[in-house]
Amino acid sequence: AVTKTDAPDPVNVGQNVTYTIVVTNNGPNTATGVPLTDPLPAGVSFVSANSTVGGCEQVAGTVTCAIGTLANGASATITIVITVQPGPGRTLTNTATASATGTSDPVAGNNSDTATTTVNPNADLAVTKSDSPDPVGVGANLTYTVTVTNQGPDTAAGVTMTDPLPA
């Protein structure tokens, strides 16, 4: 049986997400030749993968852990860390699957689990300011033009601009 969680959720671009996967042998026999595979979602970069039983490697965006043998009732915990890369707000869907290559599994329906992580929208605000005329005479009007631009990739909500005036 596989259970999978993600943290944090939601996540910001550039932030790490940790997937915690627990593979449990619900028996009744010892499971042998147990691998776990986890194809990473698009838009992330791999940081690390560790298992409490066996070892893990990442090749071409897929993490594979060679858990090996799990006795009846035993578990292995796999921790995978990724970094969310820039891109529009989206949802990361990630599924991990385990099997027992040397033992039959009477309940194969619980051999995978999916974690869905929300990526917060990513907006890049830019401010430009100009003044006219420059120089300005004492007692004359001075006009400031302030432009706020969202360079994306997502819509910016609740944007406010403040401009404290000089004495």
Side-chain angles (χ1 to χ4, degrees), residues 83-108:
T83 302
V84 178
Q85 296 302 308
R90 60 196 182 278
T91 301
L92 303 176
T93 302
N94 185 246
T95 302
T97 304
S99 60
T101 59
T103 310
S104 67
D105 186 345
V107 186

Side-chain angles (χ1 to χ4, degrees), residues 65-160:
C65 300
I67 296 169
T69 300
L70 282 179
N72 180 16
S75 296
T77 301
I78 294 93
T79 304
I80 299 172
V81 179
I82 58 160
T83 302
V84 178
Q85 296 302 308
R90 60 196 182 278
T91 301
L92 303 176
T93 302
N94 185 246
T95 302
T97 304
S99 60
T101 59
T103 310
S104 67
D105 186 345
V107 186
N110 62 358
N111 289 6
S112 66
D113 196 17
T114 300
T116 303
T117 310
T118 300
V119 178
N120 287 326
N122 186 21
D124 180 10
L125 299 179
V127 177
T128 58
K129 183 176 183 177
S130 61
D131 61 341
S132 177
D134 190 357
V136 64
V138 174
N141 287 338
L142 175 63
T143 301
Y144 289 114
T145 302
V146 179
T147 304
V148 179
T149 306
N150 177 7
Q151 297 172 334
D154 295 315
T155 300
V159 176
T160 59

